[in-house]
Amino acid sequence: MHIQNHFRMSDDEAARLLANPGACDVVAWGGESLEASYLPMCFQPGGEHGSLTTHIAKINPLAAMDGAPAVAMVHGADAFIASAWLSDGEDVEAPGWNYLVLAAYG
């Protein structure tokens, strides 16, 4: 996804979000199919970027994908933005959604 520079997270902002990631959307590519789960995560500092860790039950299809390319979507705050809140007096219809998300690949 393209992120405009003024919306990019700083390294400090990313570190704060990763410090307590909560549950994350995890998607992995197993070579023939995608698998996805919503999993609680913990952040472990160390190495170049640190790592996200979780427990995956044996019955979860992700468990058979050990080492497969994956992405964990770490969510922060989000909220609807009504177009009336953004109006500068012009008749502008520009509602949106303000959100904070970090995609951690591994």
Side-chain angles (χ1 to χ4, degrees):
M1 175 168 91
H2 173 74
I3 301 170
Q4 295 178 11
N5 286 334
H6 63 277
F7 289 123
R8 289 191 185 281
M9 266 190 266
S10 69
D11 289 345
D12 288 341
E13 290 169 321
R16 281 193 300 276
L17 182 58
L18 284 171
N20 188 19
C24 301
D25 301 306
V26 178
V27 181
W29 171 248
E32 295 181 18
S33 66
L34 288 171
E35 291 293 340
S37 286
Y38 188 63
L39 298 169
M41 294 283 183
C42 292
F43 180 71
Q44 303 296 320
E48 186 177 352
H49 301 290
S51 61
L52 291 170
T53 59
T54 190
H55 167 78
I56 301 175
K58 288 181 183 179
I59 196 166
N60 187 321
L62 283 175
M65 298 179 144
D66 189 27
V71 61
M73 303 300 292
V74 182
H75 298 269
D78 68 289
F80 176 73
I81 306 296
S83 58
W85 300 341
L86 303 173
S87 177
D88 59 1
E90 302 281 327
D91 187 23
V92 177
E93 294 283 330
W97 202 269
N98 191 16
Y99 60 92
L100 182 63
V101 66
L102 184 144
Y105 294 87

